[in-house]
Amino acid sequence: MSDLLKSLNAEQHRAVTLPDESALILAGAGSGKTRVLTTRIAWLIQTGRVRPSEILAVTFTNKAAQEMVARLGVLIPTIDTRRLWMGTFHGLCNRMLRIHAPEAGLPASFQILDSNDQLSTIKRLLKETNTDTESYPAKTLQTFINESKEAGLRANAIQPANAIDQKCAELYAVYETHCQRTGVVDFAELLLRCYELLGNDDLRHHYQTRFKHVLVDEFQDTNPLQYAWLKRLACRDPQGRGNPASSASTAVFAVGDDDQSIYAFRGAKVDHMLHFSEEFQPSHLIKLEQNYRSGSFILDAANQLIANNAERLGKNLRTDAGTGDLIYIYPAATDLYEANWVVEGIRTKLKAGCPANEIAVLYRSNAQSRVLEHALFQAGITYRVYGGLRFFERQEVKHALAYLRLIDNPNDDTAWMRVVNFPTRGIGQRTLEQLAHTASEYACSLCAAVSFMETGAALPKLKTFARLMDEIRQTIDQSGYTLPETVDYVLKASGLLAHYEAEREGRDRVENLQELVNAANAFVTGMGYAADAPAHTVAPAKNMAVTLEAEDALLPETPMSPLSHFLSHAALEAGDYQARSGQAAVQLMTVHASKGLEFAAVWITGLEEGLFPHENSLYHPKSLQEERRLMYVAITRAKQSLSLSFANSRMLHGQTRYHPHSRFLDELPDTGLEWLAPKRGFTEEYFDGMENLVAKEDSDMCEEKEESARPAYGRHYRSAPSRTNGEAVNQNGLTYKRRDAQQAAQAQRERDAGFALKQRVFHLKFGEGKVINMEGQGPGARVQVQFAHSGTKWLALDKAKLEKIN
Ligand code: ATP
Ligand code: MG
């Protein structure tokens, strides 16, 4: 036991060993919140205060949940972490709904719609109801539905303020009916349905008695529905009041940092930290102020940045870890140069022995990852992207999953629509519209509607498809195929594999499909199913009256067949399966996804106004504060080294953007910071690869692009160590204010190119324009020109024959 507690400081020790009462732990980044929470769970179990099944612990991202489970596994190696109710809100709600599907009014094999599936379902319903999609775009309706659910509102409970809301509420009702009929739930529904389930007195009582301790990490990001769900779990009073401080109540251990609240756009409210004090009356409030993660340069940067925010609960972070490395800021000419700089830095780190998993590249928007990925790929560095296009979201994998979903639930219309004519079976749009019409006439699913259809040229083909699905289902059930065997069989029997094998460019897709069989294999082993467990056999639903001991003896997921379980996992943890796993990889992710994680070396890229802070937040003080908190999260991920960068021009969403550097850079302290000067050139191979990438992204680029300059590889220099008065000295001995570094670099570029920014120019083919960017020198110099009538082009100066106009 002493081993468990010995590495804690006094405040952490106190937090871990609190009596069985509610507590709020308010602490800054890297102060050991997650460590305290995990150690408390271990301590509660090891001291015999509770059984593992009497603890519920929740956090926000799958990665954070995995991390928590892994840390606990280290603290108590003998524990079977699968028995713990530990996970994300969505994961835990899914589990509860599976156990109590009948009470929740759901079929045992209900399927989960991810956001894309939800959107396509809404689009289909809008079409079926002949709704004007100009006035009611599917995306708007999707937001309306999700926000209503997150506010705990069913369609019939909405009180419309105007005709538009009225119409949206009606469409929401249509959507609700449809989901119910086809046995599917979206992400928001998982939470709302589970919250409603706990409205059942017996059930609520069962769980309130069962869970003696509820522990919540990242509490600052709970949204109102999650908060209400927690209250139902923890408070004796169904209204959520009650006196949680009384000994009869569940002890809630909430851990959070108001400075890291980054989900206000999804309804999270920092106020919950304040409400918690009033409503749960925690017996203990503990602040942790010692940071164990970062050196003082990094910590000071984070502290000074966040001091620009108002409305903070106020904390002071200190560290004993020394200064750590200097923080570097790199002003890149373009996003390509930025990516190359990042890759060079990563290479150096790897050479110095830093493990790849300890290196992270963070960005504000997913769209930024492509250029970074390309540069890493070119450099032969293994990387892994969280978010973006995830394994389970790839087209071919989603098709295979759709077939598997139809095995599990034939009424899943979204899955049906996805594969009814894939591979092609000659079933056209008109037939499907007819089928949808029949389905709404008979208030049934598309699959069931086939037997009601009487006419239609493609009816026999529809029937053949329905029969094929029946046959596949029967074969799987009768042969007792395991999950990997089922996946393998479905790939073949559906024709999917053959389809992609016949495609000219289908090799990657075939590999991904085969990887799905591996994923199924890994899942079965990881979840502790018997190797020969039939994929499609549902264990009898667990009876609420079953004793806790009996529940302990069972795997928590027993109400799900391995197939249902695998499908839930694919929907909920889309990003977390690492294909061909095992290799250490550099981690790429958005700042949002990095919450709670830490890395030895961190790059934060794209620090430009309009990107980070995001353009939607620039004129809204509250949103700007949230962006600043996001930057605070990003900075505090770094343990030893932190590097920041921005690009003068960036290709994003098919457009070249020019933005000044982020205001956040100006909010950092001078000490410990070093601005680098941009590098001048790249290797031939680098440009070759980048050109292909750019050409793909920017079809607007002119042919001169192909002949663009390829300057010789330039040595990059950096300014001398900073002086505390905010000045730096460059190699030529020129002293300038650190923030003038960019202007100095720009002036140098202008001298090299022989053109100034904003210079008006004339080109024989493209007409008049003005110079907006430049790079390279001598015969390699290029300028970017915004033409009045021909868009924006990069031109090689020695070829383009540009004339200056005064
Ligand atoms: P975040 O706000 O980013 O979620 P956190 O407050 O949850 O951070 P942890 O992730 O728990 O912080 O801890 C940060 C790092 O400090 C981890 O590497 C952890 O192991 C280490 N750490 C925490 N407490 C101690 C301690 N008492 N002694 C040594 N290392 C510690
Ligand atoms: Mg944490």
Side-chain angles (χ1 to χ4, degrees):
M1 176 52 45
S2 55
D3 275 1
L4 199 62
L5 305 176
K6 110 176 149 215
S7 60
L8 303 174
N9 68 29
E11 280 306 283
Q12 292 176 331
H13 186 286
R14 198 177 133 230
V16 166
T17 56
L18 285 175
D20 298 350
E21 292 162 348
S22 290
L24 176 62
I25 314 297
L26 176 66
S31 59
K33 294 183 299 297
T34 304
R35 181 189 259 223
V36 160
L37 186 140
T38 319
T39 314
R40 178 160 171 82
I41 296 175
W43 180 80
L44 288 168
I45 296 171
Q46 273 204 354
T47 51
R49 280 174 164 72
V50 288
R51 276 191 295 267
S53 57
E54 291 172 327
I55 291 175
L56 181 139
V58 63
T59 186
F60 276 77
T61 61
N62 292 308
K63 196 156 180 7
Q66 283 169 2
E67 187 100 355
M68 215 199 268
V69 170
R71 288 192 198 184
L72 193 64
V74 173
L75 291 173
I76 314 182
T78 52
I79 199 169
D80 181 354
T81 47
R82 288 166 303 172
R83 301 244 163 94
L84 295 162
W85 280 74
M86 246 180 159
T88 59
F89 280 102
H90 288 118
L92 294 173
C93 287
N94 176 43
R95 182 156 152 192
M96 218 173 253
L97 289 173
R98 296 281 168 187
I99 297 175
H100 304 290
E103 292 96 329
L106 288 170
S109 57
F110 69 84
Q111 304 294 313
I112 300 168
L113 290 183
D114 66 18
S115 310
N116 288 336
D117 288 341
Q118 183 190 31
L119 191 64
S120 50
T121 304
I122 292 172
K123 280 185 183 156
R124 230 175 36 248
L125 292 179
L126 288 177
K127 200 162 178 200
E128 277 170 28
T129 50
N130 291 322
T131 307
D132 165 19
T133 47
E134 293 267 306
S135 312
Y136 300 96
K139 269 213 171 272
T140 310
L141 195 63
Q142 183 180 31
T143 308
F144 179 88
I145 292 172
N146 290 342
E147 285 181 355
S148 302
K149 289 188 180 186
E150 274 156 23
L153 290 173
R154 290 287 174 200
N156 60 11
I158 289 175
Q159 295 185 331
N162 50 43
I164 294 177
D165 274 7
Q166 170 72 39
K167 178 74 181 168
C168 286
E170 283 166 23
L171 292 167
Y172 175 17
V174 172
Y175 171 79
E176 264 184 334
T177 312
H178 173 85
C179 290
Q180 185 62 34
R181 197 166 67 207
T182 56
V184 294
V185 298
D186 55 49
F187 289 151
E189 181 73 23
L190 281 173
L191 273 163
L192 180 55
R193 193 63 79 106
C194 192
Y195 168 76
E196 290 168 348
L197 178 74
L198 291 173
N200 172 324
D201 289 343
D202 293 341
L203 261 173
R204 193 178 55 260
H205 180 71
H206 167 77
Y207 281 107
Q208 286 179 343
T209 320
R210 176 198 177 129
F211 295 126
K212 306 274 188 294
H213 289 266
V214 169
L215 302 97
V216 193
D217 200 3
E218 312 277 7
F219 189 70
Q220 74 280 354
D221 277 331
T222 41
N223 71 25
L225 187 55
Q226 291 162 340
Y227 185 75
W229 183 81
L230 284 169
K231 279 208 294 189
R232 280 212 164 154
L233 266 184
C235 298
R236 295 290 174 266
D237 179 344
Q239 299 309 314
R241 290 188 303 269
N243 176 12
S246 85
S247 59
S249 289
T250 305
V252 181
F253 190 82
V255 168
D257 176 5
D258 55 311
D259 289 331
Q260 294 188 66
S261 163
I262 54 173
Y263 281 108
F265 72 96
R266 275 199 207 154
K269 287 203 171 134
V270 131
D271 302 354
H272 290 155
M273 310 272 291
L274 304 172
H275 291 163
F276 182 80
S277 297
E278 288 158 24
E279 297 184 328
F280 288 78
Q281 299 166 19
S283 317
H284 312 274
L285 171 69
I286 295 184
K287 288 190 178 188
L288 308 174
E289 300 197 315
Q290 170 94 12
N291 174 294
Y292 287 95
R293 181 177 291 149
S294 322
S296 66
F297 284 157
I298 292 171
L299 205 56
D300 291 347
N303 281 339
Q304 185 152 327
L305 174 99
I306 202 67
N308 289 286
N309 267 9
E311 299 165 24
R312 300 176 58 218
L313 298 180
K315 282 172 266 87
N316 252 337
L317 274 183
R318 54 173 194 277
T319 178
D320 295 337
T323 59
D325 296 350
L326 281 174
I327 301 170
Y328 293 111
I329 300 181
Y330 181 68
T334 68
D335 47 347
L336 308 185
Y337 283 73
E338 178 188 50
N340 194 51
W341 177 70
V342 171
V343 167
E344 270 183 40
I346 290 177
R347 240 200 218 126
T348 311
K349 283 273 167 219
L350 291 171
K351 265 195 204 138
C354 180
N357 286 338
E358 280 288 330
I359 297 175
V361 186
L362 309 182
Y363 35 81
R364 175 69 181 85
S365 141
N366 266 317
Q368 285 169 254
S369 78
R370 278 202 36 194
V371 171
L372 291 162
E373 282 186 65
H374 181 82
L376 284 163
F377 181 80
Q378 289 266 89
I381 296 173
T382 312
Y383 63 90
R384 179 179 175 195
V385 189
Y386 288 88
L389 191 58
R390 304 152 178 212
F391 178 72
F392 286 118
E393 289 172 353
R394 291 178 195 280
Q395 185 213 70
E396 61 281 10
V397 175
K398 281 205 88 159
H399 279 131
L401 290 172
Y403 277 103
L404 291 165
R405 287 164 72 127
L406 287 176
I407 308 297
D408 211 26
N409 174 8
N411 296 324
D412 182 340
D413 281 3
T414 312
W416 170 280
M417 284 303 273
R418 181 177 270 278
V419 291
V420 64
N421 197 36
F422 195 97
T424 323
R425 300 185 170 92
I427 300 170
Q429 204 50 36
R430 273 204 42 210
T431 308
L432 292 176
E433 278 166 20
Q434 241 179 315
L435 181 70
H437 185 75
T438 311
S440 58
E441 204 176 318
Y442 286 85
C444 65
S445 66
L446 295 171
C447 167
V450 176
S451 54
F452 295 122
M453 261 182 66
E454 282 159 10
T455 54
L459 183 57
K461 289 173 183 158
L462 271 182
K463 289 196 163 158
T464 309
F465 176 69
R467 230 181 1 256
L468 170 73
M469 290 314 301
D470 282 343
E471 282 165 13
I472 293 180
R473 197 173 305 110
Q474 271 171 24
T475 308
I476 290 167
D477 287 345
Q478 283 165 9
S479 333
Y481 281 158
T482 63
L483 186 62
E485 285 166 350
T486 298
V487 177
D488 188 52
Y489 172 67
V490 164
L491 292 179
K492 289 172 185 148
S494 63
L496 261 189
L497 201 61
H499 169 85
Y500 286 118
E501 277 168 349
E503 246 190 15
R504 234 156 47 102
E505 309 269 311
R507 234 191 82 203
D508 279 359
R509 297 190 190 273
V510 169
E511 278 182 14
N512 281 334
L513 289 179
Q514 284 156 350
E515 191 59 35
L516 189 63
V517 182
N518 294 344
N521 234 323
F523 182 81
V524 167
T525 319
M527 287 297 155
Y529 286 107
D532 59 352
H536 197 217
T537 303
V538 185
K542 216 184 289 176
N543 185 333
M544 245 169 45
V546 169
T547 61
L548 286 178
E549 287 77 8
E551 278 195 29
D552 276 350
L554 295 167
L555 274 181
E557 288 80 8
T558 38
M560 279 188 259
S561 68
L563 178 60
S564 297
H565 196 181
F566 182 61
L567 292 171
S568 299
H569 167 83
L572 289 175
E573 298 175 32
D576 291 350
Y577 173 71
Q578 189 179 358
R580 295 163 201 101
S581 54
Q583 229 177 340
V586 170
Q587 317 273 301
L588 265 65
M589 66 189 81
T590 61
V591 181
H592 277 102
S594 74
K595 197 166 72 146
L597 306 178
E598 60 185 20
F599 307 92
V602 169
W603 273 261
I604 309 173
T605 59
L607 283 163
E608 294 136 40
E609 288 288 294
L611 189 55
F612 197 4
H614 193 271
E615 56 195 352
N616 296 345
S617 71
L618 293 178
Y619 306 104
H620 305 282
K622 280 216 170 242
S623 314
L624 205 50
Q625 294 200 30
E626 174 140 328
E627 292 289 308
R628 192 173 284 111
R629 289 194 292 268
L630 202 50
M631 181 65 179
Y632 174 81
V633 168
I635 293 176
T636 53
R637 297 312 93 202
K639 294 198 264 190
Q640 285 148 24
S641 91
L642 175 66
S643 309
L644 313 171
S645 59
F646 60 91
N648 289 328
S649 82
R650 174 179 302 280
M651 178 68 72
L652 209 64
H653 308 304
Q655 278 183 330
T656 309
R657 304 152 58 120
Y658 309 91
H659 290 301
H661 70 249
S662 168
R663 72 189 66 197
F664 297 149
L665 292 176
D666 296 332
E667 293 175 358
L668 302 178
D670 288 333
T671 318
L673 211 64
E674 190 166 305
W675 286 76
L676 304 179
K679 192 164 73 169
R680 307 280 187 70
F682 292 98
T683 57
E684 296 243 334
E685 306 79 59
Y686 182 74
F687 249 105
D688 280 345
M690 283 302 183
E691 271 173 6
N692 292 338
L693 182 75
V694 174
K696 245 194 277 159
E697 289 190 353
D698 183 16
S699 53
D700 193 33
M701 284 231 167
C702 61
E703 60 275 17
E704 273 83 347
K705 172 77 195 66
E706 253 68 63
E707 297 164 4
S708 65
R710 291 173 185 175
Y713 198 69
R715 230 172 65 75
H716 97 266
Y717 62 93
R718 63 175 202 228
S719 53
S722 10
R723 297 178 183 173
T724 43
N725 64 1
E727 289 177 341
V729 182
N730 76 4
Q731 276 196 332
N732 306 323
L734 187 69
T735 305
Y736 56 96
K737 282 271 179 206
R738 182 167 297 114
R739 288 188 196 127
D740 293 343
Q742 280 185 83
Q743 281 129 325
Q746 180 57 39
Q748 183 61 44
R749 276 200 297 278
E750 291 184 0
R751 278 194 298 279
D752 289 345
F755 279 86
L757 274 187
K758 298 194 188 146
Q759 166 73 53
R760 288 184 52 226
V761 291
F762 178 77
H763 182 271
L764 262 181
K765 186 168 158 197
F766 303 122
E768 271 191 41
K770 76 173 176 214
V771 174
I772 52 173
N773 203 354
M774 58 194 58
E775 63 188 21
Q777 55 185 314
R782 304 194 313 150
V783 294
Q784 193 179 29
V785 182
Q786 194 172 32
F787 288 100
H789 302 293
S790 317
T792 302
K793 324 265 181 214
W794 274 105
L795 302 171
L797 278 179
D798 63 336
K799 302 228 167 52
K801 302 201 175 56
L802 273 184
E803 280 175 38
K804 292 183 187 168
I805 312 177
N806 292 321

PDB file of all heavy atoms in Angstrom, residues 170-186:
ATOM      1  N   GLU A 170     -40.767  19.361 -35.891  1.00  0.00           N
ATOM      2  CA  GLU A 170     -41.540  18.330 -36.590  1.00  0.00           C
ATOM      3  C   GLU A 170     -40.612  17.313 -37.253  1.00  0.00           C
ATOM      4  O   GLU A 170     -40.815  16.102 -37.186  1.00  0.00           O
ATOM      5  CB  GLU A 170     -42.436  18.970 -37.657  1.00  0.00           C
ATOM      6  CG  GLU A 170     -43.674  19.644 -37.071  1.00  0.00           C
ATOM      7  CD  GLU A 170     -44.362  20.548 -38.094  1.00  0.00           C
ATOM      8  OE1 GLU A 170     -44.172  20.332 -39.313  1.00  0.00           O
ATOM      9  OE2 GLU A 170     -45.052  21.476 -37.663  1.00  0.00           O
ATOM     10  N   LEU A 171     -39.554  17.850 -37.883  1.00  0.00           N
ATOM     11  CA  LEU A 171     -38.613  16.950 -38.556  1.00  0.00           C
ATOM     12  C   LEU A 171     -37.856  16.104 -37.534  1.00  0.00           C
ATOM     13  O   LEU A 171     -37.535  14.938 -37.786  1.00  0.00           O
ATOM     14  CB  LEU A 171     -37.635  17.763 -39.419  1.00  0.00           C
ATOM     15  CG  LEU A 171     -38.298  18.430 -40.637  1.00  0.00           C
ATOM     16  CD1 LEU A 171     -37.371  19.466 -41.250  1.00  0.00           C
ATOM     17  CD2 LEU A 171     -38.682  17.385 -41.685  1.00  0.00           C
ATOM     18  N   TYR A 172     -37.550  16.710 -36.402  1.00  0.00           N
ATOM     19  CA  TYR A 172     -36.909  15.970 -35.308  1.00  0.00           C
ATOM     20  C   TYR A 172     -37.798  14.783 -34.901  1.00  0.00           C
ATOM     21  O   TYR A 172     -37.323  13.653 -34.716  1.00  0.00           O
ATOM     22  CB  TYR A 172     -36.661  16.951 -34.157  1.00  0.00           C
ATOM     23  CG  TYR A 172     -36.112  16.398 -32.847  1.00  0.00           C
ATOM     24  CD1 TYR A 172     -35.516  15.142 -32.759  1.00  0.00           C
ATOM     25  CD2 TYR A 172     -36.176  17.179 -31.686  1.00  0.00           C
ATOM     26  CE1 TYR A 172     -35.013  14.670 -31.545  1.00  0.00           C
ATOM     27  CE2 TYR A 172     -35.670  16.718 -30.473  1.00  0.00           C
ATOM     28  CZ  TYR A 172     -35.103  15.453 -30.406  1.00  0.00           C
ATOM     29  OH  TYR A 172     -34.620  14.990 -29.214  1.00  0.00           O
ATOM     30  N   ALA A 173     -39.125  15.046 -34.842  1.00  0.00           N
ATOM     31  CA  ALA A 173     -40.059  13.969 -34.463  1.00  0.00           C
ATOM     32  C   ALA A 173     -40.026  12.846 -35.506  1.00  0.00           C
ATOM     33  O   ALA A 173     -40.018  11.653 -35.159  1.00  0.00           O
ATOM     34  CB  ALA A 173     -41.471  14.531 -34.322  1.00  0.00           C
ATOM     35  N   VAL A 174     -39.970  13.234 -36.787  1.00  0.00           N
ATOM     36  CA  VAL A 174     -39.909  12.222 -37.850  1.00  0.00           C
ATOM     37  C   VAL A 174     -38.637  11.384 -37.688  1.00  0.00           C
ATOM     38  O   VAL A 174     -38.644  10.156 -37.787  1.00  0.00           O
ATOM     39  CB  VAL A 174     -39.912  12.910 -39.248  1.00  0.00           C
ATOM     40  CG1 VAL A 174     -39.652  11.900 -40.360  1.00  0.00           C
ATOM     41  CG2 VAL A 174     -41.231  13.632 -39.471  1.00  0.00           C
ATOM     42  N   TYR A 175     -37.550  12.085 -37.400  1.00  0.00           N
ATOM     43  CA  TYR A 175     -36.257  11.406 -37.229  1.00  0.00           C
ATOM     44  C   TYR A 175     -36.300  10.438 -36.041  1.00  0.00           C
ATOM     45  O   TYR A 175     -35.846   9.301 -36.124  1.00  0.00           O
ATOM     46  CB  TYR A 175     -35.180  12.476 -37.052  1.00  0.00           C
ATOM     47  CG  TYR A 175     -33.811  11.955 -36.658  1.00  0.00           C
ATOM     48  CD1 TYR A 175     -32.957  11.398 -37.604  1.00  0.00           C
ATOM     49  CD2 TYR A 175     -33.370  12.033 -35.336  1.00  0.00           C
ATOM     50  CE1 TYR A 175     -31.695  10.926 -37.251  1.00  0.00           C
ATOM     51  CE2 TYR A 175     -32.118  11.570 -34.970  1.00  0.00           C
ATOM     52  CZ  TYR A 175     -31.282  11.015 -35.931  1.00  0.00           C
ATOM     53  OH  TYR A 175     -30.051  10.545 -35.556  1.00  0.00           O
ATOM     54  N   GLU A 176     -36.877  10.916 -34.949  1.00  0.00           N
ATOM     55  CA  GLU A 176     -36.989  10.067 -33.742  1.00  0.00           C
ATOM     56  C   GLU A 176     -37.749   8.778 -34.058  1.00  0.00           C
ATOM     57  O   GLU A 176     -37.322   7.684 -33.699  1.00  0.00           O
ATOM     58  CB  GLU A 176     -37.775  10.823 -32.651  1.00  0.00           C
ATOM     59  CG  GLU A 176     -36.917  11.535 -31.634  1.00  0.00           C
ATOM     60  CD  GLU A 176     -37.757  12.167 -30.531  1.00  0.00           C
ATOM     61  OE1 GLU A 176     -38.947  12.489 -30.764  1.00  0.00           O
ATOM     62  OE2 GLU A 176     -37.214  12.357 -29.435  1.00  0.00           O
ATOM     63  N   THR A 177     -38.905   8.945 -34.725  1.00  0.00           N
ATOM     64  CA  THR A 177     -39.729   7.780 -35.055  1.00  0.00           C
ATOM     65  C   THR A 177     -38.944   6.809 -35.919  1.00  0.00           C
ATOM     66  O   THR A 177     -38.965   5.594 -35.723  1.00  0.00           O
ATOM     67  CB  THR A 177     -40.992   8.231 -35.830  1.00  0.00           C
ATOM     68  OG1 THR A 177     -41.566   9.310 -35.121  1.00  0.00           O
ATOM     69  CG2 THR A 177     -41.983   7.109 -36.001  1.00  0.00           C
ATOM     70  N   HIS A 178     -38.234   7.399 -36.884  1.00  0.00           N
ATOM     71  CA  HIS A 178     -37.477   6.563 -37.804  1.00  0.00           C
ATOM     72  C   HIS A 178     -36.399   5.760 -37.061  1.00  0.00           C
ATOM     73  O   HIS A 178     -36.250   4.551 -37.276  1.00  0.00           O
ATOM     74  CB  HIS A 178     -36.836   7.445 -38.881  1.00  0.00           C
ATOM     75  CG  HIS A 178     -35.911   6.698 -39.770  1.00  0.00           C
ATOM     76  ND1 HIS A 178     -36.335   6.006 -40.877  1.00  0.00           N
ATOM     77  CD2 HIS A 178     -34.578   6.493 -39.690  1.00  0.00           C
ATOM     78  CE1 HIS A 178     -35.305   5.418 -41.443  1.00  0.00           C
ATOM     79  NE2 HIS A 178     -34.220   5.702 -40.740  1.00  0.00           N
ATOM     80  N   CYS A 179     -35.658   6.441 -36.192  1.00  0.00           N
ATOM     81  CA  CYS A 179     -34.571   5.752 -35.463  1.00  0.00           C
ATOM     82  C   CYS A 179     -35.147   4.642 -34.594  1.00  0.00           C
ATOM     83  O   CYS A 179     -34.601   3.542 -34.507  1.00  0.00           O
ATOM     84  CB  CYS A 179     -33.791   6.738 -34.597  1.00  0.00           C
ATOM     85  SG  CYS A 179     -32.811   7.869 -35.560  1.00  0.00           S
ATOM     86  N   GLN A 180     -36.273   4.944 -33.972  1.00  0.00           N
ATOM     87  CA  GLN A 180     -36.886   3.949 -33.090  1.00  0.00           C
ATOM     88  C   GLN A 180     -37.304   2.720 -33.907  1.00  0.00           C
ATOM     89  O   GLN A 180     -37.074   1.586 -33.529  1.00  0.00           O
ATOM     90  CB  GLN A 180     -38.093   4.597 -32.379  1.00  0.00           C
ATOM     91  CG  GLN A 180     -38.743   3.714 -31.343  1.00  0.00           C
ATOM     92  CD  GLN A 180     -37.769   3.353 -30.207  1.00  0.00           C
ATOM     93  OE1 GLN A 180     -36.922   4.151 -29.829  1.00  0.00           O
ATOM     94  NE2 GLN A 180     -37.884   2.134 -29.691  1.00  0.00           N
ATOM     95  N   ARG A 181     -37.883   3.020 -35.071  1.00  0.00           N
ATOM     96  CA  ARG A 181     -38.402   1.927 -35.901  1.00  0.00           C
ATOM     97  C   ARG A 181     -37.269   1.044 -36.411  1.00  0.00           C
ATOM     98  O   ARG A 181     -37.407  -0.163 -36.545  1.00  0.00           O
ATOM     99  CB  ARG A 181     -39.137   2.554 -37.087  1.00  0.00           C
ATOM    100  CG  ARG A 181     -40.048   1.607 -37.804  1.00  0.00           C
ATOM    101  CD  ARG A 181     -40.963   2.369 -38.721  1.00  0.00           C
ATOM    102  NE  ARG A 181     -40.250   2.982 -39.822  1.00  0.00           N
ATOM    103  CZ  ARG A 181     -40.649   4.067 -40.447  1.00  0.00           C
ATOM    104  NH1 ARG A 181     -41.740   4.694 -40.069  1.00  0.00           N
ATOM    105  NH2 ARG A 181     -39.958   4.551 -41.463  1.00  0.00           N
ATOM    106  N   THR A 182     -36.127   1.671 -36.688  1.00  0.00           N
ATOM    107  CA  THR A 182     -35.050   0.891 -37.297  1.00  0.00           C
ATOM    108  C   THR A 182     -34.005   0.450 -36.270  1.00  0.00           C
ATOM    109  O   THR A 182     -32.982  -0.136 -36.635  1.00  0.00           O
ATOM    110  CB  THR A 182     -34.372   1.706 -38.428  1.00  0.00           C
ATOM    111  OG1 THR A 182     -33.913   2.934 -37.878  1.00  0.00           O
ATOM    112  CG2 THR A 182     -35.340   1.986 -39.545  1.00  0.00           C
ATOM    113  N   GLY A 183     -34.241   0.747 -34.997  1.00  0.00           N
ATOM    114  CA  GLY A 183     -33.344   0.246 -33.952  1.00  0.00           C
ATOM    115  C   GLY A 183     -31.954   0.846 -33.987  1.00  0.00           C
ATOM    116  O   GLY A 183     -30.963   0.144 -33.800  1.00  0.00           O
ATOM    117  N   VAL A 184     -31.874   2.159 -34.257  1.00  0.00           N
ATOM    118  CA  VAL A 184     -30.553   2.805 -34.241  1.00  0.00           C
ATOM    119  C   VAL A 184     -30.561   3.998 -33.290  1.00  0.00           C
ATOM    120  O   VAL A 184     -31.599   4.620 -33.067  1.00  0.00           O
ATOM    121  CB  VAL A 184     -30.132   3.295 -35.654  1.00  0.00           C
ATOM    122  CG1 VAL A 184     -29.931   2.124 -36.586  1.00  0.00           C
ATOM    123  CG2 VAL A 184     -31.147   4.266 -36.230  1.00  0.00           C
ATOM    124  N   VAL A 185     -29.411   4.297 -32.735  1.00  0.00           N
ATOM    125  CA  VAL A 185     -29.281   5.474 -31.857  1.00  0.00           C
ATOM    126  C   VAL A 185     -28.057   6.271 -32.283  1.00  0.00           C
ATOM    127  O   VAL A 185     -27.045   5.705 -32.671  1.00  0.00           O
ATOM    128  CB  VAL A 185     -29.121   5.070 -30.366  1.00  0.00           C
ATOM    129  CG1 VAL A 185     -30.316   4.327 -29.852  1.00  0.00           C
ATOM    130  CG2 VAL A 185     -27.875   4.254 -30.144  1.00  0.00           C
ATOM    131  N   ASP A 186     -28.176   7.602 -32.225  1.00  0.00           N
ATOM    132  CA  ASP A 186     -27.004   8.428 -32.517  1.00  0.00           C
ATOM    133  C   ASP A 186     -26.245   8.684 -31.210  1.00  0.00           C
ATOM    134  O   ASP A 186     -26.677   8.242 -30.140  1.00  0.00           O
ATOM    135  CB  ASP A 186     -27.425   9.736 -33.214  1.00  0.00           C
ATOM    136  CG  ASP A 186     -28.452  10.505 -32.407  1.00  0.00           C
ATOM    137  OD1 ASP A 186     -28.219  10.682 -31.193  1.00  0.00           O
ATOM    138  OD2 ASP A 186     -29.490  10.913 -32.966  1.00  0.00           O
TER     139      ASP A 186
END
